Amino acid sequence: VPLPFSGKVAVVTGAAGNIGLAVATRLASQGADLALLDVDAAKLEQARATLLEHDVRINIYTCDVTNDEQVRQTVETVVAELGQIDFLFNNAGYQGAFAPIQDYPAADFARVMQINVCGAFHVLRHVARHMVARKSGGIVNTASMAGVQGPPNMAAYGASKFAIIGLTEVAAKDLAPYNIRVNAISPAFMGPGVMWERQVELQAKAGSQYFSTDPKEVAQQMIGSIPMRRYGNINEIPGVVTFLFSDDSSYMTGVNLPISGG
Ligand code: NAD
């Protein structure tokens, strides 16, 4: 029996990170050839090493998504080396600082926007050009529940993820005539991992009325706000992404699916 994504090529950005690698692993296990992009060359090489058991092509590309020209060249190289791009998991991101808006560092705000918004736009537009020519493709952008309801102390991150949901809706309209579907996923609290530890610690440090100043208590407060009373596991994400790439979601475009425990 052929695997569901045999013969397909998927581009994954932020592929050396937690969610990117989890999705890349699932795509490989379903037969897709992979183009893995990340700014961190060493982590990217490690990520590739964990995927070698899968009988698919895995090419890695060190690429800074904030650099539009570098993204253009990388996408061109991917098409030259792997032949086509069927799926894009547009996922590279940075959480930014934690501070109330009146103290939020402007340079960090700009950096979050550069990576999360401009970076996602650069990748989306260059991959879309290729997909438009083929009149086919599937795109999933990683937003966040921080892009649905603004969390305290996360001005840049919250604004950037609202922007991703907007970008998803616009791109879905622009690309619908070309048989390209564009959707978003919105994870909320995922753990364990760097992002979880970092946000628990930094929300405690930010010292607002919303969270305790003790990281352990912050963790409990966050978990207590989730109807399912637990944080999500990274492995609860890939199946949602592959669903959005698959024909099972063939009439869905421009939607944002929360992965949030309620
Ligand atoms: P992560 O830090 O493990 O992975 C992010 C990856 O993006 C890293 O490998 C990093 O090197 C890469 N990256 C950063 N800047 C880049 C750039 N300029 N160019 C190319 N690559 C770059 O974090 P993660 O949890 O895997 O996050 C993936 C996505 O999921 C992000 O968009 C994040 O905002 C989103 N998200 C995560 C959570 C969570 O709790 N983990 C929740 C909601 C949304």
Side-chain angles (χ1 to χ4, degrees), residues 5-12 31-37 57 59 61 74-88 126-138:
F5 293 145
S6 284
K8 304 287 190 188
V9 176
V11 169
V12 176
D33 291 325
L34 296 177
L36 306 180
L37 277 61
R57 293 181 291 172
N59 290 4
Y61 304 88
T74 303
V75 170
E76 209 166 89
T77 309
V78 170
V79 173
E81 293 183 350
L82 293 174
Q84 71 209 45
I85 300 170
D86 298 281
F87 306 131
L88 166 63
H126 291 300
V127 170
R129 283 212 183 103
H130 167 75
M131 289 177 169
V132 162
R134 294 182 69 220
K135 289 200 161 49
S136 142

Side-chain angles (χ1 to χ4, degrees), residues 10 12 18 23 32 36 43-45 85 87 95 102 135 150-151 170 179 196 204 215 219 229 232 240-241 245 248 262:
V12 176
N18 283 313
V23 169
L36 306 180
K43 252 174 71 186
L44 196 51
E45 184 52 59
I85 300 170
F87 306 131
Q95 204 176 34
Q102 66 275 23
K135 289 200 161 49
V170 172
N179 189 33
W196 169 257
R229 291 289 189 272
V240 182
V241 179
F245 286 149
D248 285 343

Side-chain angles (χ1 to χ4, degrees), residues 150-163:
N153 300 313
M154 298 181 80
Y157 190 77
S160 78
K161 294 302 186 178
F162 270 80

Side-chain angles (χ1 to χ4, degrees), residues 61-105:
Y61 304 88
T62 307
C63 177
D64 182 344
V65 297
T66 66
N67 183 331
D68 185 55
E69 176 54 20
Q70 207 180 94
V71 172
R72 189 191 67 73
Q73 284 174 14
T74 303
V75 170
E76 209 166 89
T77 309
V78 170
V79 173
E81 293 183 350
L82 293 174
Q84 71 209 45
I85 300 170
D86 298 281
F87 306 131
L88 166 63
F89 184 46
N90 198 9
N91 164 75
Y94 164 56
Q95 204 176 34
F98 287 74
I101 194 144
Q102 66 275 23
D103 299 328
Y104 200 95

Side-chain angles (χ1 to χ4, degrees), residues 174-253:
D174 290 351
L175 299 174
Y178 305 99
N179 189 33
I180 301 163
R181 296 186 296 108
V182 188
N183 294 296
I185 57 162
S186 280
F189 296 122
M190 308 304 295
V194 181
M195 273 223 181
W196 169 257
E197 300 299 336
R198 191 172 179 275
Q199 73 193 339
V200 161
E201 215 162 277
L202 295 183
Q203 283 290 20
K205 270 206 188 110
S208 68
Q209 67 178 353
Y210 301 100
F211 294 107
S212 162
T213 51
D214 172 4
K216 282 204 188 88
E217 275 175 32
V218 173
Q220 291 196 332
Q221 288 173 315
M222 286 179 176
I223 287 170
S225 74
I226 304 166
M228 289 179 72
R229 291 289 189 272
R230 63 173 178 86
Y231 52 59
N233 186 284
I234 292 295
N235 292 317
E236 292 176 298
I237 293 178
V240 182
V241 179
T242 54
F243 163 70
L244 289 170
F245 286 149
S246 79
D247 290 341
D248 285 343
S249 63
S250 55
Y251 200 50
M252 293 173 71
T253 194

Side-chain angles (χ1 to χ4, degrees), residues 25 36 40 56 110 116 128 141 147 173 179 194 200 202 205 258 260 262:
T25 304
L36 306 180
D40 188 330
V56 297
N116 294 7
N141 297 318
K173 293 199 173 83
N179 189 33
V194 181
V200 161
L202 295 183
K205 270 206 188 110
S260 63

